[in-house]
Amino acid sequence: MQYMILIYGNETDAPCPTSEEEGLAMMKPWMDYTDAMKEAGVLVSGEALQPTPTATTVRVRGGETMHTDGPFAETKEQLGGYYLIECADLDEALKWAARCPGAIDGACEVRPVVKFD
């Protein structure tokens, strides 16, 4: 079964690297985590998202399309990225989510993916 790990964190608390070396050091836990999922054969896909100021929310009301800058809801934590994984069951997916670097100072939401034929 496929599960989505949605990674939430506070964008304003995220450290900004001052050098390429520092940036690579900050990314190492993420790359190690991604590599571990690849080696285990559970990784389907995963991507980081641009910060929320780049988001646009679309609503259609009464046939009229409205665009709003930013995310849909004001929250302390923002969706920063995701992993789509293939696991035997929810317990396995939760174990992978617990290993995610984003769970250390943010939160990881795990949801089963609905498959339509």
Side-chain angles (χ1 to χ4, degrees):
M1 174 146 210
Q2 289 188 340
Y3 295 88
M4 183 77 72
I5 299 174
L6 302 166
I7 306 160
Y8 293 91
N10 189 328
E11 288 178 345
T12 59
D13 289 346
C16 186
T18 57
S19 68
E20 183 176 340
E21 184 178 277
E22 189 176 303
L24 291 172
M26 287 173 48
M27 289 304 298
K28 184 166 182 3
W30 291 97
M31 302 311 283
D32 292 346
Y33 176 64
T34 302
D35 288 343
M37 287 193 294
K38 286 178 185 175
E39 289 171 18
V42 299
L43 181 65
V44 176
S45 67
E47 297 294 339
L49 301 175
Q50 293 287 333
T52 55
T54 65
T56 303
T57 299
V58 177
R59 294 178 183 85
V60 178
R61 302 293 186 269
E64 182 181 342
T65 302
M66 299 172 282
H67 301 158
T68 305
D69 290 340
F72 175 72
E74 299 255 347
T75 62
K76 291 181 182 179
E77 293 180 330
Q78 294 77 36
L79 179 62
Y82 71 91
Y83 286 101
L84 178 61
I85 59 175
E86 181 84 37
C87 295
D89 54 33
L90 178 60
D91 288 337
E92 182 183 2
L94 294 175
K95 287 177 184 174
W96 280 108
R99 292 178 61 178
C100 180
I104 294 169
D105 56 7
C108 291
E109 176 182 347
V110 177
R111 284 203 203 177
V113 175
V114 176
K115 289 290 195 171
F116 295 99
D117 293 328

